[in-house]
Amino acid sequence: MADTYVGAIDQGTTGTRFMVFDHSGQVVANAYEKHEQIYPEPGWVEHDPMEIWENTKDVVTTGLDEADLDAEQLEAIGITNQRETTIVWDKETGKPVHNALVWQDRRTTDRVEEIQEEGKVEWIREKTGLECDAYFSATKTEWILDNAEPLKMEASRGEDVRTRAENGELLMGTIDTWVIYNLTGNHITDVSNASRTMLYNIRELEWDDELLEEFNVPKEMVPEVRPSSDENTYGSTDADGFLGAEVPVAGALGDQQAAMFGQTCFDEGDAKNTYGTGSFYLMNTGTDAVESDHGLLTTIGFQMSGEPVQYALEGAIFITGAAIEWLEDVDLINNAAQTAELARSVDSTDGVYMVPAFTGLGAPHWDGRARGTIVGMTRGTRKEHIVRATLESIAYQTRDVAEAMEADSGVETTTLRVDGGAVKNNFLCQLQSDIIQTDIARPEVDETTALGSAYAAGLAVGYWDTVDELRDNWQIDREFSPEKDAEEVDKLYDRWDDAVEKSLDWAREE
């Protein structure tokens, strides 16, 4: 009998990846494809949902073909996704009514400020654990319903988008829901993704009628919410479809929760930081939804079938890896790998600080009108200093969150588990260890986001029996310990606060 595996579709901000894992958590197949980033106006970011679905099919078939695997060898598929990115589509035709609004999109900032002025921020936080911000799906869904052009919908009747939504003819969802719908025909999300919409009550574990009313989102539109690892499964792929096999889709996790799961942060106090387009620092808080007094989010970590929800504290940093991409965009570097060499070529930034607030600042500042800022330049500033300052900004933003995390949780982090594309950079990992004065542990399998969703799906169908098996799979590639003096680092960090202050509340005219 042929060996069997578990597949994972990792639909991220810049592209879609399909990976296949064996029982020991090792990668046996891997395919990736980028999709277009659409910027209709400053601060607006969109994706084409149909392009994402076509790419998803391509990477799944390519990944299987290149590894010489048959779809029948997959015992289950897990989904992980860029979380708050929002799509509204026609229930009958499956066609989107508008491009997806990406989590980075700031077009609903005015609406968020309106809510803030009405004094509803604390009310929203109590229900959802979230800051009221354009980052989340609620205002994005509202915007699409108010602004999508009816002509794009090819509606047989001339009804507007909102009327059709109220009639149950339109569906909304985050990317996981979109992919699950296209794979299985079922309209489903998991608790971790639902908790990122600003429409879901994380304590009552249900869509909140008052929030749906506040954001004018008809309840008929929202998906069914299931556990992240679901023994009942979300459905199966069609034997007559692109895979040519019936494979259960049995797990889903928002990308950051998936990375936490892949890093085996199953116990209270376990923490990880993922360095992708942005960085996301999560700490498992067990079955308690810990409220934050320091600008962090309270979110759902994951839920296993038949078990209570596990919560997490999260520090969401909007721009980290994307700041390195920006260096490439403006021709300061040729590729990301160059950053370590350039940064190492100078002893310091010579007082230069870079605050990469290209789409506002997330935790713990929450300023949607902050903008990217470079301060401290002199005539002697060279690109090496700016590159180093950009890498340091990633580490400083992480310290902002780490300090807030310790203050809220009362737990001191002794080791931070890290993953994501940027942690391949040894210079950055050492820098991070120095700046937060904490040991850094980098695992052997750094695609922990895909691995986490594979684990969730595999546990659901019995490919793995217990989470202890997954803990045994987790292996360290390299550890980094602080090499710089704490007093020296604290002085540099104090000036970072001054630089952040310069970036705040900049984009008034937008």
Side-chain angles (χ1 to χ4, degrees):
M1 182 181 158
D3 291 334
T4 59
Y5 307 95
V6 175
I9 294 168
D10 180 355
Q11 205 302 295
T13 307
T14 53
T16 307
R17 186 178 299 281
F18 178 68
M19 301 185 80
V20 178
F21 297 91
D22 66 14
H23 208 272
S24 62
Q26 295 300 305
V27 179
V28 296
N30 188 351
Y32 179 77
E33 199 165 322
K34 279 191 169 185
H35 57 258
E36 185 186 359
Q37 306 296 311
I38 302 163
Y39 305 105
E41 293 187 30
W44 293 27
V45 192
E46 297 179 0
H47 293 157
D48 177 352
M50 295 309 296
E51 182 190 8
I52 284 174
W53 172 237
E54 290 303 319
N55 286 0
T56 300
K57 290 189 289 186
D58 286 348
V59 293
V60 171
T61 52
T62 301
L64 291 172
D65 288 348
E66 288 181 353
D68 199 23
L69 297 176
D70 193 284
E72 300 279 0
Q73 291 175 264
L74 297 177
E75 291 206 14
I77 292 173
I79 311 292
T80 182
N81 56 290
Q82 47 167 324
R83 294 176 298 180
E84 299 77 10
T85 298
T86 306
I87 305 173
V88 174
W89 68 94
D90 185 296
K91 186 177 182 179
E92 195 175 314
T93 66
K95 288 186 177 175
V97 307
H98 192 277
N99 277 339
L101 302 198
V102 179
W103 58 273
Q104 300 159 315
D105 190 281
R106 308 307 302 176
R107 76 186 66 188
T108 60
T109 298
D110 287 345
R111 172 71 170 116
V112 166
E113 289 173 348
E114 189 182 292
I115 294 163
Q116 290 167 346
E117 285 161 15
E118 290 169 1
K120 294 177 178 174
V121 171
E122 195 54 43
W123 173 70
I124 289 171
R125 190 186 290 120
E126 282 171 12
K127 288 172 176 286
T128 67
L130 307 176
E131 290 290 325
C132 183
D133 194 85
Y135 175 31
F136 305 106
S137 310
T139 59
K140 297 182 192 302
T141 309
E142 182 181 42
W143 189 94
I144 292 172
L145 292 180
D146 288 337
N147 294 281
E149 296 171 26
L151 287 176
K152 287 185 182 174
M153 309 228 326
E154 299 176 11
S156 52
R157 303 170 301 287
E159 293 171 337
D160 65 21
V161 178
R162 186 168 288 288
T163 303
R164 296 200 66 212
E166 287 164 359
N167 291 342
E169 296 173 29
L170 301 184
L171 304 175
M172 70 77 64
T174 42
I175 295 276
D176 61 305
T177 308
W178 171 244
V179 174
I180 291 167
Y181 178 83
N182 281 291
L183 285 171
T184 69
N186 297 323
H187 188 218
I188 286 170
T189 192
D190 93 294
V191 287
S192 73
N193 278 294
S195 76
R196 310 300 295 188
T197 60
M198 214 159 72
L199 298 169
Y200 189 73
N201 191 312
I202 64 166
R203 291 169 179 83
E204 302 296 329
L205 300 180
E206 62 186 17
W207 295 112
D208 191 285
D209 290 334
E210 291 178 337
L211 290 172
L212 291 168
E213 186 178 347
E214 171 66 36
F215 294 104
N216 301 303
V217 176
K219 198 166 190 174
E220 295 79 7
M221 294 185 75
V222 295
E224 179 187 354
V225 183
R226 296 275 198 88
S228 316
S229 175
D230 191 359
E231 289 172 0
N232 295 323
T233 81
Y234 309 144
S236 294
T237 59
D238 188 344
D240 297 325
F242 77 101
L243 261 185
E246 282 189 37
V247 183
V249 181
L253 286 155
D255 52 10
Q256 303 313 318
Q257 288 94 333
M260 186 168 83
F261 209 81
Q263 288 271 36
T264 67
C265 294
F266 300 131
D267 299 325
E268 190 175 338
D270 288 347
K272 71 88 200 174
N273 195 25
T274 298
Y275 299 77
T277 302
S279 282
F280 298 85
Y281 190 133
L282 271 74
M283 177 185 281
N284 186 328
T285 61
T287 53
D288 290 330
V290 175
E291 290 183 27
S292 174
D293 297 321
H294 297 86
L296 301 179
L297 307 177
T298 305
T299 196
I300 291 176
F302 57 87
Q303 183 185 24
M304 315 276 279
S305 283
E307 294 185 17
V309 157
Q310 297 262 323
Y311 293 93
L313 276 171
E314 174 175 320
I317 304 167
F318 294 159
I319 300 290
T320 53
I324 295 171
E325 288 176 5
W326 175 80
L327 292 175
E328 208 171 328
D329 293 342
V330 295
D331 294 330
L332 287 175
I333 60 172
N334 297 322
N335 56 64
Q338 236 190 327
T339 55
E341 178 194 337
L342 288 167
R344 202 179 275 116
S345 71
V346 287
D347 293 334
S348 72
T349 66
D350 272 2
V352 174
Y353 284 81
M354 196 275 207
V355 184
F358 301 140
T359 57
L361 284 173
H365 311 285
W366 295 105
D367 185 344
R369 294 192 182 276
R371 285 296 178 266
T373 307
I374 301 175
V375 296
M377 289 194 293
T378 66
R379 185 65 184 81
T381 299
R382 304 199 312 275
K383 73 176 178 181
E384 289 84 353
H385 298 116
I386 294 171
V387 169
R388 185 175 178 122
T390 303
L391 290 182
E392 288 190 1
S393 77
I394 295 173
Y396 287 133
Q397 288 182 100
T398 303
R399 177 160 168 173
D400 286 345
V401 168
E403 293 198 344
M405 194 77 70
E406 290 188 357
D408 277 331
S409 68
V411 176
E412 185 181 351
T413 305
T414 52
T415 301
L416 180 63
R417 297 183 174 195
V418 299
D419 55 73
V423 304
K424 293 180 177 73
N425 184 329
N426 290 336
F427 180 85
L428 176 62
C429 288
Q430 185 57 57
L431 190 65
Q432 186 68 87
S433 179
D434 288 334
I435 286 175
I436 62 172
Q437 291 288 295
T438 296
D439 290 344
I440 299 289
R442 181 174 69 195
E444 277 185 6
V445 177
D446 61 3
E447 290 291 350
T448 52
T449 305
L451 181 60
S453 67
Y455 279 166
L459 283 166
V461 299
Y463 185 74
W464 291 285
D465 292 326
T466 67
V467 294
D468 289 332
E469 289 180 71
L470 310 183
R471 285 192 181 97
D472 291 342
N473 285 346
W474 192 79
Q475 301 291 326
I476 290 177
D477 168 56
R478 184 166 167 185
E479 286 187 283
F480 300 82
S481 297
E483 293 175 354
K484 279 193 175 172
D485 178 65
E487 197 175 328
E488 178 192 349
V489 171
D490 289 346
K491 279 183 187 169
L492 294 169
Y493 181 61
D494 286 345
R495 287 296 274 161
W496 163 257
D497 284 340
D498 297 338
V500 168
E501 196 65 34
K502 305 287 185 193
S503 75
L504 300 177
D505 198 33
W506 183 263
R508 299 312 303 170
E509 76 287 352
E510 289 175 26

